[in-house]
């Protein structure tokens, strides 16, 4: 049956209207783009837009999720075949081709991470030239202050002067984002450090078990129960005090002594403790509650899971301009890679106290004064803390 003239006219009208809408939108977009002016102005806009988009993903610093999203924008910005972002521990993101080089990137970037100078590697240096194509690389350091915290690596068929300069500029831009993220983190730490130090480190697990241990002595040994109640009260009073961000090593050791008295009431001879303390460092000022969480970590995550008795050794030595404190246990140990990831803030874990103390030490004294932790599964854990003996402006 042939179409009626009325139906045909309606169809033509609809199609004409659709074409008019599409053409109108296209003209509007074209006019908007032309309002940017010259080709150079449009190129500038595209560059700034890509940088802005990538910056949103790096607001929390160098981490796998943010780096993966930012790398796509940055690769388009450089016009390279592949782009990678690393921190000092591993590859955070890889976008584009040449993935056969990804397992080798940290080896290729080792000199850049150590020396802080951009490296240009030709295809013969990389050993490329497979069916997927030949690639050269520009590896530029990402600096945060005086530290090299990662690299930006760009891969392309040739590494000319333009790509070298552009990659270095992108790495410097990434460094600015990292420094801004660290500044934000520092501001947050400044506001939250006291609450975290005073409260988060006193785990409900410890309080619950201490009260249960005290209750177990009420009928069998009332005198010891009374002593433990006094120790528990003194410990919690010190731990939840409201004044001061600093204390002395002597005060912190007294807190640890009360804590261990309560733990030994629960574990008995399973927890053995040795102390070797140099008297000349007892007056050293240290951040409040910076040692007790380390000892609690040794008990909870080192000895509690171990069969039989465990031993904790606490030492404090005079090391020239510094006081060096170590907490060592012969417990079950930790996986170093998981510990490093947790300290870097990539995920939450059971060792929140370690991350809290490490972050506060770095905030107060600088990154070179973070915790040094030596551990392995089944090998126990050794934690070392070094603080300056002279600290103008820090009062206990």
């Amino acid at each position: 049956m042939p179409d009626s003239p009325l139906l045909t006219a309606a169809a033509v009208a609809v199609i004409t209207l659709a074409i008019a809408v599409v053409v109108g939108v296209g003209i509007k977009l074209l006019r908007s783009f032309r309002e940017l002016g010259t080709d150079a102005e449009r190129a500038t806009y595209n560059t700034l837009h890509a940088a802005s988009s990538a910056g949103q993903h790096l607001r929390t610093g160098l981490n796998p999720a943010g780096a993966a999203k930012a790398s796509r924008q940055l690769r388009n910005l450089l016009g390279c075949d592949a782009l990678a972002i690393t921190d000092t521990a591993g590859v955070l993101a890889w976008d584009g081709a040449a993935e056969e080089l990804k397992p080798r990137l940290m080896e290729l970037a080792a000199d850049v991470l150590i020396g802080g100078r951009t490296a240009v590697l030709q295809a013969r240096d990389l050993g490329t030239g497979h069916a997927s194509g030949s690639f050269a690389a520009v590896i530029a350091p990402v600096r945060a202050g005086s530290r090299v915290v990662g690299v930006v690596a760009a891969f392309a068929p040739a590494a000319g002067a333009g790509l070298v300069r552009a990659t270095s500029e992108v790495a410097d831009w990434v460094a600015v984002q990292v420094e801004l993220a660290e500044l934000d983190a520092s501001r947050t730490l400044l506001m939250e450090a006291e609450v975290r130090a005073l409260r988060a480190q006193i785990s409900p697990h410890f309080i619950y078990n201490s009260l249960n241990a005290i209750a177990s002595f009420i009928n069998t040994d009332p005198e010891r129960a009374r002593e433990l109640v006094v120790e528990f009260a003194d410990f919690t009073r010190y731990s939840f005090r409201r004044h001061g961000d600093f204390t002395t090593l002597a005060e912190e050791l007294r807190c640890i002594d009360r804590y261990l008295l309560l733990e030994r009431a629960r574990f008995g001879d399973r927890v053995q403790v040795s102390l070797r303390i140099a008297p000349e460092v007892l007056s050293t000022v240290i951040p409040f509650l910076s040692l007790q969480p380390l000892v609690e970590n040794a008990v909870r995550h080192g000895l509690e899971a171990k069969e039989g008795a465990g031993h904790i050794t606490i030492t404090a030595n005079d090391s020239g301009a510094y006081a060096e404190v170590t907490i060592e246990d012969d417990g079950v140990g930790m996986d170093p890679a998981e510990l490093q990831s947790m300290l870097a803030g990539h995920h939450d874990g059971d060792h929140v106290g370690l991350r809290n103390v490490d972050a506060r030490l770095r905030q107060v004294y600088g990154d070179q004064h973070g915790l040094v932790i030596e551990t392995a599964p089944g090998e126990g854990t050794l934690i070392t803390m070094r603080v300056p003996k002279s600290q103008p402006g820090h009062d206990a």
Side-chain angles (χ1 to χ4, degrees):
M1 177 179 177
D3 294 335
S4 68
L6 182 60
L7 184 58
T8 301
V12 171
V14 171
I15 293 172
T16 303
L17 179 61
I19 292 173
V21 169
V22 171
V23 172
V25 171
I27 291 173
K28 184 177 180 181
L29 291 174
L30 184 59
R31 285 175 178 170
S32 298
F33 195 62
R34 282 177 177 171
E35 287 174 1
L36 291 171
T38 66
D39 290 342
E41 290 173 336
R42 286 194 287 272
T44 300
Y45 166 79
N46 289 334
T47 300
L48 292 174
H49 179 70
S52 175
S53 299
Q56 295 177 10
H57 304 306
L58 295 174
R59 286 178 179 173
T60 56
L62 286 180
N63 58 70
K69 295 177 181 178
S71 63
R72 301 187 188 102
Q73 302 285 345
L74 297 178
R75 182 168 74 87
N76 292 334
L77 189 62
L78 289 176
C80 55
D81 292 81
L83 183 134
I85 300 174
T86 81
D87 59 12
T88 57
V91 179
L92 299 176
W94 186 289
D95 188 72
E99 287 207 28
E100 67 270 16
L101 293 171
K102 183 177 178 179
R104 296 178 51 207
L105 180 55
M106 294 309 293
E107 175 189 348
L108 297 171
D111 290 341
V112 179
L113 289 168
I114 295 172
R117 298 183 64 181
T118 298
V120 180
L121 304 176
Q122 302 301 335
R124 61 180 179 275
D125 303 316
L126 300 178
T128 60
H130 308 298
S132 58
S134 297
F135 293 99
V138 179
I139 306 176
V142 176
R143 297 183 185 86
S146 60
R147 300 171 292 126
V148 177
V149 296
V151 304
V152 171
F155 297 85
L163 182 62
V164 174
R165 288 195 298 268
T167 305
S168 296
E169 290 295 334
V170 166
D172 289 344
W173 176 86
V174 171
V176 172
Q177 310 310 309
V178 172
E179 289 180 329
L180 289 174
E182 290 182 350
L183 180 60
D184 287 341
S186 295
R187 288 172 178 165
T188 301
L189 285 172
L190 283 171
M191 293 184 291
E192 296 180 356
E194 183 174 2
V195 173
R196 292 173 66 193
L198 301 183
R199 296 176 180 173
Q201 304 308 321
I202 313 304
S203 70
H205 173 89
F206 164 72
I207 293 175
Y208 175 82
N209 287 327
S210 294
L211 293 175
N212 271 347
I214 293 170
S216 70
F217 287 105
I218 290 177
N219 293 325
T220 59
D221 193 345
E223 184 61 29
R224 189 177 184 193
R226 280 193 292 270
E227 292 173 358
L228 290 174
V229 167
V230 172
E231 296 294 345
F232 182 80
D234 288 341
F235 172 80
T236 53
R237 185 182 300 113
Y238 173 84
S239 301
F240 286 92
R241 74 179 192 180
R242 290 281 182 180
H243 62 282
D245 294 330
F246 296 86
T247 187
T248 63
L249 181 60
E251 284 292 327
E252 196 77 354
L253 288 171
R254 273 193 282 269
C255 172
I256 289 172
D257 184 59
R258 296 184 183 108
Y259 168 79
L260 289 172
L261 277 172
L262 293 164
E263 289 290 43
R264 281 197 292 266
R266 184 162 66 101
F267 288 107
D269 292 335
R270 281 189 57 199
V271 176
Q272 301 172 7
V273 182
S274 298
L275 286 88
R276 296 196 296 269
I277 311 297
E280 58 268 28
V281 300
L282 287 173
S283 60
T284 301
V285 174
I286 62 174
F288 179 65
L289 276 184
S290 56
L291 290 185
Q292 187 275 333
L294 308 185
V295 176
E296 182 172 349
N297 181 82
V299 173
R300 287 190 59 199
H301 303 297
L303 304 187
E304 189 169 344
K306 178 182 178 179
E307 293 184 6
H311 195 271
I312 298 173
T313 302
I314 303 171
T315 67
N317 297 315
D318 187 344
S319 181
Y322 299 92
E324 183 174 281
V325 182
T326 64
I327 310 291
E328 184 175 11
D329 68 76
D330 60 357
V332 297
M334 296 175 273
D335 177 66
E338 183 178 343
L339 175 65
Q340 184 179 30
S341 180
M342 183 273 298
L343 289 175
H346 291 168
H347 64 83
D348 293 328
D350 293 330
H351 307 282
V352 178
L354 294 185
R355 186 173 67 190
N356 180 286
V357 173
D358 181 68
R360 286 191 289 138
L361 289 173
R362 293 176 188 274
Q363 181 188 27
V364 174
Y365 304 117
D367 282 329
Q368 69 273 24
H369 290 286
L371 294 177
V372 177
I373 304 176
E374 301 172 48
T375 187
E379 299 297 328
T381 302
L382 171 64
I383 303 174
T384 302
M385 183 178 84
R386 281 168 58 90
V387 298
K389 289 193 294 185
S390 176
Q391 301 178 39
H394 294 165
D395 297 320

